């Protein structure tokens, strides 16, 4: 029999064969998760925490819930929750719990409609959450505590919530407890700032794209069922390390793109047969992963050549010819071209599928 930890306690988990089958499917509603719920109900664990998976805001929220309950030695079951393979009401049996936290997602409709004395507290930061809340009947809302702040990420809201609860629980006769140690506090709060910048789609903090790339490698580790060391690992994440890793990766890609440009001569492209002006472009078949770097480099070269500051990278993708447009100019809007041909994107980055005969008209000098 394999054993698994939750909230500092050992519980029996699934057999070797079941574990291998679960890990292959990567299912969150697994035998291990269902058994953990059954064991928690049998042992009368009062607190259930479900966190949005695979969201980093959800994972860090789970970390803060874990730290709070650990500091006070309160029994607690924490599980990842996926809207793709969600738990069913009959799986959770909320009536058996005193309190249920939903971290980084709004209470599902079947949760809200269930008649139970279990207190449900949920956190979210998405505008879509406000719409979902509006669909919940008023009679059901009375049993819920819904905290939605579109200006603050869920992870920050949960961090503040459990920090305050911990402070309130500390009496004058007991040594003050803190959710985070002095050593961890500034590092974790820096990571939360960056996650919030991504969650709220601001993308304003220095090196935010490098941070985002560096964080992606952690996505496979934020399932507390398959990774029993998740909380310890989250505590050690450093925004500086993630940014350094991301910048190193982007630098190597830029070097590769520059080498490729030297080997492949750029040519003039008449965007929309000239309707949208002219720019420099190149074929990148076999190197489409560098389309962003190549496009930005060509954008600069195109501008220096007196053409529109756009770089056009074209390559075959699943038997289709795809064109990616990039610009380093704040005024230029590449999406006007992409949208005209059934694609889309932003002003600085867009793409679309183009017919070969049409493409030939764009590069023809006749």
């Amino acid at each position: 029999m394999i054993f698994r930890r939750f909230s500092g306690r050992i519980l029996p988990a699934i057999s070797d064969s079941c574990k291998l089958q679960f890990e292959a499917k990567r299912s969150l509603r697994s035998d291990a998760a269902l058994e953990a719920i059954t064991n928690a109900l049998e042992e009368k664990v009062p607190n259930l925490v479900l966190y949005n998976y695979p969201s980093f805001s959800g994972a860090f929220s789970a970390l803060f819930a874990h730290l709070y309950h650990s500091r006070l030695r309160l029994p607690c079951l924490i599980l990842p929750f996926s809207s793709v393979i969600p738990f069913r009401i009959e799986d959770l049996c909320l009536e058996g719990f005193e309190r249920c936290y939903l971290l980084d997602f709004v209470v599902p409709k079947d949760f809200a409609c269930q008649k139970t004395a279990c207190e449900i507290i949920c956190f979210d930061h998405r505008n879509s959450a406000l719409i979902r809340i509006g669909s919940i009947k008023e009679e059901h809302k009375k049993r819920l505590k819904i905290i939605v702040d579109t200006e603050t990420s869920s992870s920050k809201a949960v961090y503040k919530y459990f920090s305050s609860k911990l402070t309130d629980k500390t009496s004058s006769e007991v040594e003050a407890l803190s959710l985070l140690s002095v050593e961890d506090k500034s590092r974790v709060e820096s990571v939360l700032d960056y996650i919030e910048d991504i969650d709220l789609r601001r993308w304003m903090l220095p090196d935010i794209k490098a941070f985002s790339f560096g964080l992606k490698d952690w996505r496979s580790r934020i399932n507390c069922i398959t990774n029993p060391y998740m909380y310890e690992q989250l505590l050690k994440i450093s925004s500086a390390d993630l940014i350094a890793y991301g910048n190193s990766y982007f630098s190597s890609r830029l070097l590769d793109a520059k080498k490729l440009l030297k080997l492949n001569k750029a040519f003039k492209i008449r965007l929309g047969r000239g309707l949208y002006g002219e720019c420099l472009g190149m074929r990148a078949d076999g190197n489409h992963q560098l389309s962003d770097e190549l496009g930005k480099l060509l954008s600069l070269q195109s501008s220096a050549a007196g053409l529109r500051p756009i770089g056009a990278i074209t390559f075959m993708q699943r038997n289709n010819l795809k064109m990616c447009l990039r610009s380093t100019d704040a005024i230029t809007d590449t999406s006007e071209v992409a949208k005209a041909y059934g694609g889309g994107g932003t002003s600085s980055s867009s793409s679309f599928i183009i017919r070969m005969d049409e493409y030939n008209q764009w590069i023809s000098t006749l």
Side-chain angles (χ1 to χ4, degrees):
M1 178 74 78
I2 297 172
F3 288 84
R4 179 178 57 82
R5 287 185 179 275
F6 80 88
S7 294
R9 295 158 48 163
I10 301 290
L11 288 179
I14 53 176
S15 65
D16 286 337
S17 60
C18 288
K19 183 178 181 183
L20 290 174
Q21 182 181 6
F22 161 66
E23 290 181 345
K25 292 182 178 180
R26 307 301 295 171
S27 171
L28 298 178
R29 188 181 171 274
S30 63
D31 290 342
L34 297 179
E35 185 173 353
I37 294 170
T38 299
N39 290 333
L41 290 171
E42 289 177 354
E43 298 184 14
K44 300 187 183 304
V45 173
N47 302 296
L48 172 66
V49 175
L50 303 177
Y51 69 93
N52 186 14
Y53 175 88
S55 157
F56 285 104
S57 210
F60 271 92
S61 294
L63 167 64
F64 302 135
H66 165 75
L67 292 174
Y68 170 78
H69 290 90
S70 296
R71 297 283 189 270
L72 297 178
R73 298 181 181 180
L74 299 174
C76 174
L77 172 62
I78 303 178
L79 294 172
F81 182 95
S82 168
S83 59
V84 178
I85 311 174
F87 290 109
R88 297 194 291 259
I89 285 298
E90 54 267 31
D91 296 332
L92 293 173
C93 188
L94 293 182
E95 187 62 39
F97 295 97
E98 296 177 10
R99 191 171 295 101
C100 175
Y101 294 98
L102 307 180
L103 308 182
D104 195 40
F105 68 102
V106 172
V107 57
K109 189 175 182 180
D110 51 355
F111 276 45
C113 296
Q114 187 180 16
K115 293 181 179 180
T116 173
C118 177
E119 180 185 11
I120 300 177
I121 306 170
C122 57
F123 298 80
D124 206 335
H125 60 260
R126 300 166 185 81
N127 286 315
S128 59
L130 298 174
I131 299 174
R132 294 187 63 183
I133 292 172
S135 65
I136 299 175
K137 294 181 180 180
E138 290 299 325
E139 60 187 278
H140 297 141
K141 286 183 182 179
K142 295 177 181 179
R143 298 184 297 99
L144 309 174
K145 183 175 182 180
I146 303 174
I147 303 170
V148 177
D149 186 348
T150 57
E151 296 299 318
T152 304
S153 67
S154 300
S155 51
K156 273 196 175 181
V158 173
Y159 173 50
K160 181 179 179 181
Y161 175 84
F162 281 116
S163 293
S164 297
K165 278 180 68 72
L166 192 59
T167 300
D168 294 342
K169 289 287 185 180
T170 305
S171 68
S172 58
E173 300 176 357
V174 180
E175 183 180 355
L177 297 175
S178 176
L179 208 59
L180 295 172
S181 67
V182 175
E183 178 187 357
D184 295 332
K185 192 173 189 294
S186 60
R187 184 177 60 256
V188 172
E189 289 181 351
S190 174
V191 172
L192 293 183
D193 286 339
Y194 275 90
I195 289 177
E196 181 177 69
D197 203 40
I198 297 172
D199 280 349
L200 303 185
R201 300 179 182 180
R202 292 171 177 163
W203 298 89
M204 295 175 62
L205 291 180
D207 298 305
I208 182 62
K209 290 186 178 180
F211 172 89
S212 178
F213 177 83
L215 195 62
K216 287 180 181 178
D217 278 359
W218 284 82
R219 197 170 295 281
S220 62
R221 307 183 215 179
I222 57 175
N223 183 334
C224 65
I225 299 177
T226 58
N227 179 17
Y229 306 105
M230 183 185 85
Y231 305 122
E232 292 86 347
Q233 291 171 350
L234 288 178
L235 275 175
K236 299 304 179 184
I237 290 181
S238 162
S239 56
D241 290 344
L242 295 181
I243 289 170
Y245 176 75
N247 281 331
S248 176
Y249 174 79
F250 290 141
S251 295
S252 66
R253 285 172 61 99
L254 185 59
L255 287 174
D256 291 341
K258 288 180 177 179
K259 292 177 182 177
L260 196 61
L261 271 181
K262 289 182 179 179
L263 297 174
N264 296 272
K265 186 178 179 180
F267 48 83
K268 189 183 295 184
I269 288 184
R270 299 184 304 127
L271 298 169
R273 304 189 188 188
L275 180 63
Y276 299 98
E278 297 178 332
C279 71
L280 291 181
M282 67 173 288
R283 288 294 292 261
D285 297 301
N287 294 285
H288 65 275
Q289 73 278 6
L290 296 175
S291 59
D292 187 64
E293 290 80 3
L294 289 169
K296 290 175 179 177
L297 289 172
L298 278 180
S299 169
L300 296 173
Q301 292 184 15
S302 186
S303 178
L307 305 175
R308 291 198 69 188
I310 295 176
I313 306 300
T314 313
F315 53 88
M316 294 300 299
Q317 183 183 71
R318 301 187 190 92
N319 298 320
N320 291 315
L321 191 63
K322 184 173 183 177
M323 180 175 285
C324 295
L325 303 179
R326 298 292 186 269
S327 179
T328 53
D329 183 89
I331 301 175
T332 301
D333 183 6
T334 68
S335 67
E336 64 176 353
V337 184
K339 291 175 182 177
Y341 288 84
T346 64
S347 60
S348 62
S349 175
S350 61
S351 63
F352 56 98
I353 301 299
I354 183 171
R355 299 194 319 270
M356 183 62 74
D357 61 335
E358 179 68 19
Y359 174 73
N360 289 335
Q361 292 290 328
W362 291 24
I363 63 175
S364 173
T365 57
L366 298 178

